[in-house]
Amino acid sequence: MAGLRPICEFMSFNFSMQAADHIINSGAKTYYMSGGMLPIPIVFRGINGASDGVAAQHSQCYAAWYGHCPGLKVVSPWSSEDARGLLKAAVRDENPVIVLENEMLYGVGFELSEEAQSKDFVVPFGKAKIEKQGSHITLVSHSLMVGKCLEAAAVLAKEGIECEVINLRSIRPLDIATIEQSVIKTNHLVTVEGGWPMFGVGAEISAQIMEGPVFNHLDSPVYRVTGADLPVPYAKNLEECSLPQMKDITFVVKKSLGIKL
């Protein structure tokens, strides 16, 4: 790397498919295959997931795609604090880091604490954040869907249902410990993501929870809210139906809690 720490920006992560061999076969493996002699401190950042009317070829979520690959670190910010802290951590890391940003969040304003504005502020990889405390059910999400979960939680709170909302921040490494502690408290878990259901982030969380020490704390199955299992349509009404909405989250929460629908 000649002492450099480059940041490669994809206008859309859909275009990263053209560079998949370099990212996965070279970037993700060189540090390991060199016995730790050749660190690869490069950051790949850009737009990820569905936006608004950009159709199937520009709406894919790559969290599960890249999260599958040993040697890569993958993060997915929701708030300004996430974006600032995770990008700084990514630049300082000795491994290739994928930073998945959602275009719909670029125009959203977030409060930024004095701590987060400090030049020394970073968000460590593998550490999720509890955005809202709750006692009845745990909602786990990342990126744009964190906001959807908080919206759903606000609606459900009016019905006496208190949701704990966890912002993953980091996809790989995954903070399963924070999720486990929440499940011990709430006994119910729903994962929410904009990507496809097959082999997704929610599927991995579900597997780790069911294989791990907190399985017996569950009072119902782990449920997933995901994008539809099809290419994202261009038509506005169909696009909306293919992506998770607040009503989908509230429906699954009530299903998990055994509330008559």
Side-chain angles (χ1 to χ4, degrees):
M1 302 295 287
L4 301 177
R5 291 179 176 270
I7 300 174
C8 172
E9 180 178 359
F10 293 109
M11 186 171 72
S12 167
F13 256 97
N14 297 273
F15 303 149
S16 73
M17 291 291 91
Q18 310 304 316
D21 180 55
H22 304 289
I23 296 170
I24 295 170
N25 272 333
S26 295
K29 296 180 174 68
T30 298
Y31 200 4
Y32 168 79
M33 294 179 71
S34 68
M37 295 176 63
L38 296 174
I40 308 294
I42 184 170
V43 176
F44 301 98
R45 62 167 290 256
I47 293 170
N48 175 69
S51 181
D52 188 11
V54 294
Q57 293 173 319
H58 300 84
S59 298
Q60 296 162 125
C61 176
Y62 284 88
W65 292 58
Y66 286 118
H68 183 64
C69 303
L72 294 178
K73 294 185 179 180
V74 183
V75 297
S76 183
W78 170 61
S79 65
S80 299
E81 177 183 301
D82 295 348
R84 176 176 168 79
L86 290 171
L87 183 59
K88 290 180 68 176
V91 171
R92 298 177 185 190
D93 203 275
E94 296 299 321
N95 299 276
V97 182
I98 306 289
V99 182
L100 303 171
E101 305 168 4
N102 191 282
E103 183 179 8
M104 302 297 285
L105 292 170
Y106 285 164
V108 178
F110 292 90
E111 290 186 11
L112 200 60
S113 67
E114 289 293 327
E115 178 190 7
Q117 296 179 56
S118 165
K119 66 178 183 179
D120 298 318
F121 177 76
V122 294
V123 172
F125 295 158
K127 185 60 181 173
K129 181 182 180 183
I130 298 176
E131 299 288 350
K132 179 185 178 299
Q133 296 282 346
S135 57
H136 295 140
I137 192 166
T138 301
L139 302 179
V140 179
S141 191
H142 65 95
S143 191
L144 182 68
M145 292 300 146
V146 176
K148 297 281 188 185
C149 286
L150 289 170
E151 291 174 14
V155 170
L156 290 165
K158 296 176 182 177
E159 301 178 35
I161 302 170
E162 293 298 330
C163 302
E164 183 143 293
V165 178
I166 297 177
N167 172 9
L168 284 175
R169 289 178 157 180
S170 178
I171 305 299
R172 186 182 184 108
L174 182 67
D175 184 5
I176 199 69
T178 294
I179 301 171
E180 287 177 337
Q181 289 303 308
S182 182
V183 168
I184 289 172
K185 178 170 63 171
T186 67
N187 309 116
H188 297 86
L189 175 61
V190 173
T191 67
V192 184
E193 62 188 302
W196 294 315
M198 296 290 285
F199 316 107
V201 175
E204 176 61 26
I205 293 171
S206 177
Q208 290 199 33
I209 290 296
M210 292 194 216
E211 293 169 354
V214 303
F215 172 72
N216 288 327
H217 288 272
L218 289 170
D219 288 341
S220 66
V222 177
Y223 287 98
R224 294 176 294 158
V225 178
T226 71
D229 193 21
L230 80 171
V232 176
Y234 174 71
K236 182 68 176 176
N237 58 333
L238 297 179
E239 178 187 56
E240 183 174 325
C241 290
S242 73
L243 299 170
Q245 305 298 328
M246 184 185 70
K247 61 179 172 40
D248 302 316
I249 300 170
T250 58
F251 177 87
V252 172
V253 165
K254 291 179 180 180
K255 179 180 179 181
S256 176
L257 294 173
I259 297 172
K260 189 173 181 180
L261 303 171

